C-alpha cells in the first residue's frame, strides 16, 4: 500500500451536509468526510472516461474490488501561531478521555488565559485498581467554580512542542426560492444552507484541509496523476450548481507507509508502569498487582466507525470483535475500559440517485484500552489496523484507528 497526501483548499463555501434522521434543520460537518472525496473522484473518473465498468479495469479495482482505495477524512489543517496562519498536515482527533477547565477551556499555547488540556485514561485505570475515586479538577484555577473540568473534544496539531486547535468556521447562507414556471424569485420563499467558510475569520487565508488516500502500489501513481491533473474540476458537497463546493486539490507523490506503532506502544506501557508506581507511593497496595507479562494498548478512533457484533450495531469493540477484524486468535486479550458515544450518519449516493441507509456510528475520539500476554501475535495486526481501519465502509473513511495516541501521555500536572 502507498499513501497519497491530499491538500484541499476551499475556494467557495462547502455544503457538507449532516442531516440527522427525522430532522429538518440544516447542519454541516466540521471536516470533509472521506465518502465525499471518494464520490467526487469516482464521479470525475466516470465523467472523463465515459466507459462502462468491467471487473478487471482500474476503476473497479479502485472502488469496487476486494481491496479498494481508502479515502480517509480530511480535517482542517490551518492553525494560528502568534497571529499568523500556518498549515500543518499532521492533524489528529482528541481522545474522549481528554479534559479541560470548564470556564477557560483550551490549550495554553498562544493564550495565557486558557487553563490547558490533559488526558485521564492512565490515571482512571490506576484509580480503579487502587480502589480510589478519580475526580480531577483544573490544576491552574483557584476559584471553586473555575476548578471544574469537562470533556474537551475536537482536533489538535503539534508544532514545536506546542499544541493548537485547527478548526473551520461555519455559517448559514440564505437563499431565495425560484418559481420554476416564471423563472423568477418566489415571493415569501427563503431557505438557508449551513456551509463551511472558504476562508478564516480574518479573510487572509483560505481554509485548507488535509487528508490521505491509501491505495495499492500499482494504482497509486495513476490515481495521483488523475487527481493532480483535475485538481480544479472536483466539487465537494452539495449545491454545486449554486456555486458551492469549489476546491483545489493537491495530490502529493505516493510514498511508503511508515509505522511508528511499536514505539508508541512501548512509550505507553513505560508511562503506565511509571504512573502505577506513583499511585502506589501515595495509596499503598493496589487491589491487584500490575502484571509484568501483559502489554497494554489503546484503540483510538480517528474517524466515526460502523461497528457490528453478531449482526447488531454496537459502540464497544469487544475482544472477540477485535480478533475477528484482525484475524488474530488470542485468548489472553482483555478489554479494561471503553469510552465511546454514538450518533447517526446518512448520505447521498450519486450513482444510484438515492439516500444512503441511516447508520448508527461510534463517534470519532472513542477510546478502548486492551491488554494481551502475546505481544508478538499483534505486531503486524497493529500496523494493519492503522492502515485498513476497523468496522464497515472503511474505504469511505469510517473506522480510521490510531494505536496508543501520544496524547494519553499528557497528565493533569503537565496540562498543555
Amino acid at each position: 500500500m502507498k499513501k497519497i497526501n491530499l491538500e484541499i483548499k476551499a475556494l467557495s463555501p462547502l455544503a457538507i451536509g449532516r442531516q440527522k434522521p427525522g430532522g429538518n434543520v440544516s447542519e454541516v460537518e466540521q471536516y470533509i468526510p472521506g465518502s465525499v472525496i471518494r464520490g467526487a473522484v469516482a464521479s470525475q473518473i466516470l465523467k472523463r472516461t465515459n466507459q462502462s465498468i468491467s471487473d478487471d479495469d482500474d476503476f473497479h479495482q479502485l472502488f469496487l474490488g476486494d481491496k479498494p482505495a481508502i479515502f480517509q477524512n480530511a480535517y482542517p489543517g490551518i492553525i494560528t501561531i502568534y497571529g499568523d496562519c500556518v498549515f500543518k498536515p499532521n492533524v489528529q482527533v482528541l481522545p474522549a478521555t481528554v479534559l479541560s477547565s470548564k470556564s477557560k477551556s483550551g490549550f495554553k499555547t498562544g493564550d495565557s488565559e486558557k487553563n490547558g488540556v490533559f488526558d485521564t485514561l492512565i490515571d482512571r485505570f490506576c484509580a480503579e485498581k487502587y480502589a480510589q475515586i478519580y475526580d480531577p479538577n483544573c490544576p491552574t484555577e483557584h476559584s471553586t467554580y473555575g476548578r471544574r473540568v469537562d470533556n474537551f473534544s475536537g482536533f489538535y496539531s503539534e508544532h514545536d512542542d506546542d499544541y493548537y486547535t485547527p478548526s473551520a468556521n461555519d455559517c448559514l447562507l440564505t437563499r431565495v426560492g425560484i418559481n420554476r414556471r416564471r423563472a423568477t424569485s418566489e415571493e415569501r420563499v427563503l431557505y438557508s444552507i449551513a456551509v463551511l467558510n472558504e476562508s478564516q475569520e480574518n479573510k487572509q487565508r483560505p481554509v485548507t484541509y488535509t487528508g490521505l488516500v491509501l491505495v495499492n502500489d500499482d494504482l497509486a501513481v495513476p490515481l495521483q496523476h488523475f487527481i493532480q491533473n483535475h485538481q480544479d474540476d472536483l466539487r465537494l458537497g452539495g449545491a454545486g450548481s449554486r456555486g458551492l463546493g469549489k476546491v483545489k486539490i493537491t495530490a502529493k507523490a505516493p510514498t511508503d507507509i511508515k509505522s511508528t506503532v511499536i514505539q508508541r506502544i512501548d512509550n505507553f506501557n513505560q508511562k503506565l508502569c511509571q504512573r502505577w508506581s506513583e499511585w502506589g507511593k501515595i495509596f499503598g497496595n493496589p487491589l491487584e498487582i500490575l502484571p509484568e507479562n501483559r502489554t497494554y494498548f489503546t484503540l483510538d478512533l480517528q474517524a466515526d466507525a460502523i461497528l457490528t457484533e453478531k449482526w447488531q450495531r454496537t459502540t464497544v469493540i469487544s475482544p472477540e470483535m477485535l480478533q475477528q477484524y484482525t484475524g488474530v486468535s488470542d485468548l489472553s486479550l482483555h478489554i479494561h475500559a471503553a469510552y465511546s458515544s454514538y450518533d447517526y450518519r446518512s448520505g447521498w449516493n450519486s450513482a444510484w440517485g438515492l439516500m444512503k441507509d441511516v447508520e448508527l456510528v461510534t463517534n470519532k475520539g472513542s477510546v478502548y484500552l486492551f491488554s494481551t500476554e502475546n505481544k508478538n501475535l499483534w505486531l503486524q495486526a497493529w500496523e494493519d489496523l492503522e492502515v485498513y481501519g476497523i468496522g464497515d465502509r472503511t474505504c469511505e473513511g469510517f473506522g480510521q484507528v490510531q494505536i496508543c495516541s501520544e496524547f494519553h501521555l499528557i497528565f493533569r500536572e503537565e496540562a498543555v
Side-chain angles (χ1 to χ4, degrees):
M1 294 284 284
K2 298 281 188 180
K3 67 176 181 179
I4 302 174
N5 289 277
L6 300 181
E7 293 181 9
I8 305 174
K9 182 181 296 184
L11 303 180
S12 68
L14 305 180
I16 311 294
R18 186 177 182 272
Q19 186 73 22
K20 293 185 177 180
N24 55 8
V25 178
S26 178
E27 297 182 57
V28 63
E29 295 282 12
Q30 296 300 310
Y31 60 95
I32 303 176
S35 58
V36 173
I37 305 172
R38 182 175 186 263
V41 173
S43 176
Q44 191 63 220
I45 292 177
L46 293 177
K47 178 181 178 181
R48 293 293 175 178
T49 58
N50 195 25
Q51 297 177 355
S52 60
I53 303 173
S54 61
D55 293 341
D56 57 351
D57 62 11
D58 291 348
F59 183 89
H60 187 277
Q61 295 182 48
L62 277 173
F63 299 99
L64 305 173
D66 295 334
K67 292 185 177 180
I70 300 173
F71 290 79
Q72 296 186 356
N73 298 339
Y75 295 133
I78 296 293
I79 61 177
T80 303
I81 302 178
Y82 304 115
D84 297 328
C85 293
V86 178
F87 175 71
K88 296 295 292 182
N90 58 333
V91 178
Q92 300 179 47
V93 177
L94 284 168
T97 51
V98 168
L99 300 179
S100 185
S101 171
K102 196 174 182 67
S103 59
K104 298 178 182 179
S105 62
F107 294 110
K108 295 179 180 179
T109 305
D111 193 340
S112 58
E113 296 182 356
K114 304 297 184 181
N115 288 327
V117 181
F118 60 96
D119 190 87
T120 62
L121 176 66
I122 293 179
D123 279 335
R124 288 182 188 274
F125 174 76
C126 294
E128 179 182 352
K129 300 302 181 181
Y130 277 90
Q132 300 293 324
I133 296 176
Y134 184 67
D135 186 19
N137 55 17
C138 178
T140 57
E141 276 283 359
H142 301 289
S143 64
T144 303
Y145 175 78
R147 293 180 64 84
R148 297 173 60 187
V149 293
D150 201 356
N151 293 332
F152 187 77
S153 59
F155 310 110
Y156 79 95
S157 182
E158 185 180 0
H159 178 77
D160 292 339
D161 296 328
D162 291 329
Y163 291 82
Y164 299 86
T165 303
S167 62
N169 303 314
D170 59 77
C171 66
L172 284 175
L173 297 181
T174 302
R175 294 289 185 264
V176 178
I178 301 298
N179 186 302
R180 297 189 178 185
R181 182 172 60 85
R182 299 195 307 267
T184 59
S185 59
E186 182 68 27
E187 187 175 342
R188 292 185 296 181
V189 175
L190 296 174
Y191 65 94
S192 297
I193 304 175
V195 298
L196 293 174
N197 285 330
E198 71 275 24
S199 60
Q200 298 287 313
E201 292 181 351
N202 54 19
K203 307 296 182 181
Q204 293 181 355
R205 182 166 182 168
V207 176
T208 303
Y209 301 82
T210 174
L212 282 178
V213 180
L214 307 179
V215 62
N216 290 332
D217 295 357
D218 55 340
L219 296 175
V221 173
L223 179 61
Q224 185 264 337
H225 285 169
F226 181 87
I227 297 176
Q228 193 65 17
N229 293 336
H230 300 88
Q231 58 181 331
D232 297 318
D233 301 329
L234 299 174
R235 295 292 184 272
L236 301 181
S241 61
R242 284 166 273 182
L244 304 184
K246 185 178 181 181
V247 296
K248 181 176 182 179
I249 301 181
T250 302
K252 305 295 185 179
T255 57
D256 293 327
I257 301 174
K258 298 180 180 179
S259 176
T260 60
V261 62
I262 304 302
Q263 179 181 352
R264 278 184 270 118
I265 290 176
D266 291 341
N267 292 340
F268 180 84
N269 282 269
Q270 181 181 353
K271 280 287 188 178
L272 176 60
C273 293
Q274 177 183 341
R275 200 65 170 179
W276 182 276
S277 177
E278 293 176 3
W279 276 75
K281 294 177 182 178
I282 299 175
F283 297 104
N285 296 326
L287 297 178
E288 57 185 75
I289 62 173
L290 186 69
E292 296 182 358
N293 62 335
R294 299 194 71 87
T295 299
Y296 293 83
F297 65 95
T298 68
L299 294 186
D300 301 279
L301 293 185
Q302 295 294 299
D304 298 334
I306 303 174
L307 305 175
T308 305
E309 184 176 26
K310 296 180 180 179
W311 304 98
Q312 295 181 334
R313 292 287 185 240
T314 180
T315 60
V316 176
I317 302 175
S318 66
E320 294 76 19
M321 288 174 59
L322 186 57
Q323 293 178 73
Q324 180 181 357
Y325 283 130
T326 59
V328 176
S329 179
D330 183 6
L331 297 178
S332 69
L333 184 65
H334 181 69
I335 184 171
H336 298 275
Y339 303 89
S340 62
S341 58
Y342 71 92
D343 205 341
Y344 296 94
R345 289 292 183 275
S346 183
W348 181 260
N349 191 316
S350 299
W352 290 96
L354 297 170
M355 289 288 294
K356 293 181 180 179
D357 292 338
V358 177
E359 301 279 9
L360 185 145
V361 300
T362 305
N363 288 330
K364 59 183 178 296
S366 297
V367 178
Y368 306 91
L369 177 62
F370 291 89
S371 71
T372 177
E373 295 178 357
N374 304 306
K375 177 181 178 181
N376 293 333
L377 288 178
W378 292 91
L379 296 179
Q380 186 60 48
W382 286 327
E383 295 184 5
D384 291 341
L385 278 172
E386 292 196 332
V387 174
Y388 298 105
I390 192 169
D392 300 334
R393 293 170 58 182
T394 54
C395 60
E396 300 178 28
F398 290 99
Q400 181 185 344
V401 169
Q402 184 182 38
I403 307 296
C404 290
S405 170
E406 295 178 345
F407 211 91
H408 290 311
L409 308 184
I410 299 176
F411 300 118
R412 175 181 172 274
E413 62 272 18
E414 302 166 353
V416 295

